Each structure stands twice: as C-alpha cells, then as structure tokens.
Amino acid sequence: MNPAHPSAVIPRPARGRRVARRHEARLLRAGNPALFALLTIGRLTGPIRRLPKVGWVVTDPVLSRRILNDARHFSMLGEGGVGDLWGQLFGPEMAAFFGGSRHAELRTLGRDLFTEDSARALVDRAQGPHHARLRARLAAGETVDLAELVRTTSAYTVADLLGIELADDAAARALFDSAERLAALALGTQTSTALPAETIERAKGLVTEITGGVAEAYRTGGPDTILGRCRGVGISEELARGLATLLAIAGTETGASSLTRTVALLHDTGQQHALLADRSLLPGAVREGLRVTTPAPVIGRHIAADAEVGGRTLRKDGRVMMLTYVADNAAGPFDVTREYVPETRQLWFGAGRHLCLGAAVARVQLTRLLETLLADGRPWQVVSRQPARRVLVPTYASLVVRSADH
Ligand code: HEM
C-alpha cells in the first residue's frame, strides 16, 4: 500500500515495467514502423555495424558521443545529415548555417535566452497559467487530455522565444500541428535524405503556415526575442524564417513527447507513488523520463572524411546513424531512483556543437508538469490513451488522465 495514498492500487514492479515497455513499443511502432524495425534490429547489432541500405548504425553511447563531437569527419551537411533536409527547403544559406561559423556565432548570441534561469522564466510565463488550470481541473475531478495540453503549451513556449504573438489556443495548436506535419515529411529518410520535388512543395506550404508571424516579429521584436536579435545582428529575414522553422520543429514535438510519455511511465510503473511519498526524487524522474523516452531516437550524420570508430573504418560520403534510443535504454528500465549514468550522460539531447539548445527548457517544463500533477498529493490515473500515427517523433495523440480519488 502507498503510505501517501492507501486507496491507490500500486502495480507490482515487474508487471509495471512490462506494461510500460508494451506501451512504449506501441508508440514507436504506431509513429514510425520503419524506425521501430531499425531500433529493434539495433538492439542486436552490437556497438557499431554497417547495415545494407541504411549505412552505419551506432548503438554505443560513448562511440555516439565521439562521432557527435567530431565535426571534422562527421557533418550535418550532405546525405544522411539533417542539414541536407533544411538546405533543400531553405536553400544554401540555411544549409551552410549548420556547418559554418555563423552557427557558432548565433549559438553564442542566443545563449542567455536558454540558460536554466531563462528557461524557468520562459516556462512559467508561457505555461504557468495552463498548469494552474490543469491543477484546478484535476482537483475538481475532471478528466484532462494531457497530449492536447502539452501540444498547446509547447507551441506557446516556442512562439514566446521567437517573439511571435499567438492569438489563442487554437493558433497554438495550429502551429504545433503544422510543425508536426512538416517533420513527418522526413519519415522515410532513413535510407536517403534527398526529398522528392512534391515533398519539397508540401513542405514549403507548411513552412508558410508555421512562419506566418515571422515578418512582423522580425520587424518589431526586441532584443529579448530571437527574431528581434536576428534583425539586430543583420541576419536576413529569409534565414530568420528558416531558424524560426527550425525552432518550431526542434522545440515542440520532442518536448511534448517527453512530457506525456514520462507521465505515462510514472503511472504504468507505479513509480508516481514513490514521487508522491518523496519529492526529492523529482530530478531523477525528469532525467529518467528523458533517458527512457529519448524523443529524438536517431541522430544522423554525413561522413565527410574517412574515420576510424570502434575499430571500423567509416568511409567518406557514407552515412552514420546514432540510435540514441537504443544507447540510452541499454542502461535499464525507467527507475526514478537510478543514479546519473556516466556513459550516456545526456545523449538524449545529442552532443557536441549541435547539442540541444533547449535542454534547460525541456527539463524545466517536465519538472513543472510533474509538480503540477503531484501538487495535491493524489496519484493520477490514465483513463485512455492513443498513440500518434505516422509522426517523426513517437508520442501520444491523446493521454487522458484524472486524479485517482475521483
Ligand atoms: C525533450 C525535449 C528535447 C529533446 C529530446 C531534444 C533533442 C535534441 C537533439 C538530440 C538535438 C541535436 C540534433 C543533432 O545533433 O542532429 C537537438 C537540437 C536542438 N534543439 Fe532540442 N530537444 C528537445 C527540446 C528542445 C526545446 C524545448 C527546444 C527549444 C525551445 C529545442 C531546441 C533545439 C535546437 C534549436 C537545436 C539545434 C541546435 C543546433 O543545431 O545547434 N529542443 N535537440
């Protein structure tokens, strides 16, 4: 029995782990069957292996980090790298941005917007009122679709960073949905990052939807917004449009996925009860949620020059895929009491020069959501759930919860 909540049924640990694993596998399969197959094979390939049609796959966390830290041999540009996709959408200036000195310059320029303190202020400003409403609704015994909620809050957060005004929740949802549909066009790039002409056309239509507010924010934004800063340092409006799209994609789906999946993992494994009894476990729950869900399950790079990795020779012009989901999950099942894993570090955020800029935002928003769910000391129940289908980032399309005592 849970000392904090005698009425709540706590799943046995082994059963809870099985249930959690089953739900996670269902999400991955529904979102992207090819990715699910690749991750399943990846668990058997050993640390590094060449697969027909796919190229090199790496499942070892230390080797993955070595590659991500080696910009001389491995690049975002060229076949296999995500910069290749951006170049096809926004042209050579955006493609060059990923590999060039402008990238480092821009990261330095925006660093203060992404510190822990800035992330806390941002999340409290953009998401705080939604969390307060969530808390009130759960206390009143209502059911809440958390997938719907986090899609809305993720979009408000990115729009706030950019300096774009969103009229209402419907506009926030529309932004999220367009970004999700744009990212889904990259499905199938596991064998090639060259996009067919009709895919590029569809993508450009979605970019127009996503960047509707960019011109105004670029013209009027202050130095505390990304688009205002872009204007201030002479970045063209077109490149700013590309960067805004990048942020809309990078900052919404992955975060939303980590949020609902961590809430589900805590429920399915019964470990929400440990958290309810001991709030000092919260940072561990956040880290474990990010590790086990690894919302960017694969990171690709183009091989720019011959390289020796793990005793193998990776030849120039090939591609390499780091299966970060496999690498991170090798440490074991979701466990809020697990210590920091030095091998994986925070590989779910990548590594090296492209290490996730929004890592603090992702951690803070997960912390705040869990704090809200734990606020009145009652466990939550998952009433129903639906995986999202055909999406780049596996996630819940709906995750309906309510407070267990109602
Ligand atoms: C759990 C949530 C998140 C995860 C797992 C995640 C993961 C990642 C990963 C793996 C990369 C590196 C990709 C590569 O090397 O090819 C990345 C880059 C990036 N992320 Fe995140 N991300 C998350 C949330 C966010 C949020 C909330 C934001 C913004 C508010 C954000 C902004 C970015 C940006 C701008 C980059 C590109 C950095 C660069 O190229 O220099 N991310 N993210």
Side-chain angles (χ1 to χ4, degrees):
M1 279 284 165
N2 171 19
H5 256 271
S7 62
V9 179
I10 306 176
R12 291 212 187 99
R15 182 169 182 279
R17 279 199 296 273
R18 271 199 310 279
V19 172
R21 219 173 21 241
R22 207 171 53 233
H23 282 301
E24 277 287 300
R26 242 184 97 208
L27 276 192
L28 292 168
R29 202 167 32 225
N32 185 345
L35 170 74
F36 180 71
L38 181 62
L39 297 178
T40 307
I41 294 167
R43 275 193 276 270
L44 311 169
T45 55
I48 176 162
R49 165 89 74 92
R50 191 176 175 155
L51 294 180
K53 294 202 181 135
V54 173
W56 290 98
V57 295
V58 179
T59 60
D60 180 80
V62 178
L63 293 183
S64 298
R65 235 190 349 268
R66 233 200 79 196
I67 292 173
L68 292 169
N69 275 304
D70 178 357
R72 201 158 67 81
H73 296 95
F74 301 98
S75 167
M76 270 211 174
L77 300 177
E79 169 60 44
V82 74
D84 193 32
L85 297 172
W86 288 101
Q88 292 168 73
L89 272 188
F90 289 98
E93 194 187 7
M94 182 73 179
F97 159 76
F98 279 103
S101 56
R102 205 76 214 261
H103 172 260
E105 202 185 300
L106 266 185
R107 274 188 76 112
T108 310
L109 197 79
R111 185 156 295 147
D112 63 303
L113 297 174
F114 292 96
T115 61
E116 294 286 336
D117 282 350
S118 300
R120 268 193 292 275
L122 169 69
V123 171
D124 290 345
R125 191 167 66 232
Q127 307 193 6
H130 299 269
H131 290 153
R133 272 199 296 280
L134 169 65
R135 187 177 169 180
R137 288 182 65 189
L138 291 175
E142 288 182 39
T143 56
V144 181
D145 184 351
L146 287 185
E148 181 73 30
L149 176 86
V150 300
R151 281 161 189 245
T152 310
T153 53
S154 313
Y156 273 122
T157 307
V158 164
D160 184 306
L161 266 169
L162 288 167
I164 291 177
E165 282 283 330
L166 290 173
D168 52 22
D169 290 3
R173 272 309 306 264
L175 175 60
F176 186 99
D177 290 349
S178 302
E180 188 171 52
R181 292 216 305 281
L182 179 59
L185 293 181
L187 284 171
T189 52
Q190 263 137 243
T191 48
S192 168
T193 47
L195 296 172
E198 81 257 19
T199 305
I200 294 180
E201 270 322 292
R202 277 169 53 210
K204 287 188 171 163
L206 290 166
V207 169
T208 304
E209 288 173 26
I210 292 168
T211 57
V214 166
E216 162 91 12
Y218 180 82
R219 215 175 40 249
T220 60
D224 53 341
T225 68
I226 289 179
L227 288 169
R229 270 193 202 184
C230 282
R231 186 193 68 242
V233 296
I235 286 171
S236 72
E237 187 175 328
E238 186 51 18
L239 180 56
R241 244 168 59 87
L243 296 177
T245 311
L246 169 67
L247 202 72
I249 295 233
T252 51
E253 272 191 284
T254 44
S257 168
S258 70
L259 291 166
T260 48
R261 287 164 74 189
T262 303
V263 170
L265 281 168
L266 282 164
H267 167 269
D268 297 339
T269 58
Q271 293 180 48
Q272 58 168 325
H273 298 284
L275 268 190
L276 279 163
D278 179 1
R279 303 296 161 92
S280 73
L281 295 173
L282 189 54
V286 168
R287 191 173 58 232
E288 278 294 281
L290 292 166
R291 179 183 71 81
V292 170
T293 61
T294 306
V298 177
I299 303 178
R301 288 290 186 266
H302 177 73
I303 305 171
D306 287 1
E308 297 290 321
V309 180
R312 315 296 294 268
T313 305
L314 280 58
R315 295 276 173 218
K316 179 175 178 338
D317 290 335
R319 63 199 326 253
V320 56
M321 297 173 93
M322 277 60 71
L323 307 190
T324 47
Y325 183 86
V326 177
D328 292 340
N329 274 282
F334 182 80
D335 178 354
V336 297
T337 63
R338 186 182 301 282
E339 296 289 328
Y340 170 79
V341 182
E343 291 78 24
T344 51
R345 294 198 200 166
Q346 46 169 353
L347 188 58
W348 44 91
F349 288 130
R353 62 167 65 174
H354 295 286
L355 176 74
C356 178
L357 208 50
V361 177
R363 277 192 300 266
V364 170
Q365 66 183 5
L366 184 47
T367 304
R368 290 287 187 262
L369 179 65
L370 296 181
E371 281 169 354
T372 305
L373 290 170
L374 295 165
D376 63 0
R378 289 187 274 206
W380 60 89
Q381 248 175 4
V382 173
V383 179
S384 68
R385 61 179 109 194
Q386 275 303 320
R389 299 200 177 275
R390 306 292 302 158
V391 283
L392 190 68
V393 176
T395 192
Y396 283 105
S398 81
L399 182 77
V400 179
V401 301
R402 75 161 163 243
S403 182
D405 282 358
H406 289 277

